[in-house]
Amino acid sequence: AQRHRTTWLKQTELISSRPTLEEFLEAYRRCGKEDSLLTIFDTAIRRHVEAHGDRVRFYGVSTQDGTLVAGIATLEVPEIALEHHITSFLLPEARKTVACTGFLDAWFTDAKTRGSRFLEFDGFWSPGEPSSWKGFSAFKAQYVTNYVRYPKSLWRWIPKRRS
C-alpha cells in the first residue's frame, strides 16, 4: 500500500477531487453496471445524504480536464470514531491507474484529521463468491485491515426489462 501511495503522489495525470453528490452519481452511472443496480445505489446514496447530511462525503479522482473517473462515498459515525464505505466506482479508463489509491489516500487523510479510528471497507471476497471480487479484496487488504465476517444480507432485485 505504501508503494501504491508513493506512486500516486508522484504521478501527475490524475488529481484528487471532492465531487458533489450529483457529480459523483453522474460519473457512477458511467461505470457499466445494470440499470437496476445503478438505481438501487442512486437511491441508497441519496437516502444517506438526506438522513446524515454532511457526514456523507465524496472523494474522487479526476483527469486533468476535470473528468471524474473514480470515487468513493463514505459515512462518518463520530460517536464511535468510525467511517463506513458506502460505495465506490472505478471507470474503465482508470482501471490501470492508481486512482483507487488516490481516493483512499484522500479519505484516510481526511478521516485522520477528524479523529476517526476505524475505517470500514465493506465487501471482502470469501470462498464461494464470484472471483471478480478477489482483486479488489486483495487491494483493500493491503491497508492493514482486520476482517470481521458478518452474516450475509438477503438481497433480491429484479432487473428492469429494457424496452
Side-chain angles (χ1 to χ4, degrees), residues 75-134:
L75 171 64
E76 177 193 12
V77 187
E79 297 82 4
I80 57 173
L82 177 130
E83 302 219 6
H84 171 72
H85 161 267
I86 298 170
T87 190
S88 55
F89 70 90
L90 182 67
L91 296 183
E93 57 266 34
R95 290 223 168 101
K96 295 186 189 257
T97 69
V98 289
C100 287
T101 304
F103 65 62
L104 288 177
D105 184 52
W107 178 31
F108 280 32
T109 302
D110 202 25
K112 188 175 179 180
T113 63
R114 284 192 301 279
S116 294
R117 294 185 56 219
F118 308 100
L119 279 72
E120 182 184 343
F121 276 95
D122 196 28
F124 274 82
W125 178 88
S126 60
E129 295 179 336
S131 61
S132 60
W133 281 96
K134 277 185 177 181

Side-chain angles (χ1 to χ4, degrees), residues 63-76:
T63 58
Q64 289 294 333
D65 69 359
T67 304
L68 189 62
V69 294
I72 187 170
T74 66
L75 171 64
E76 177 193 12

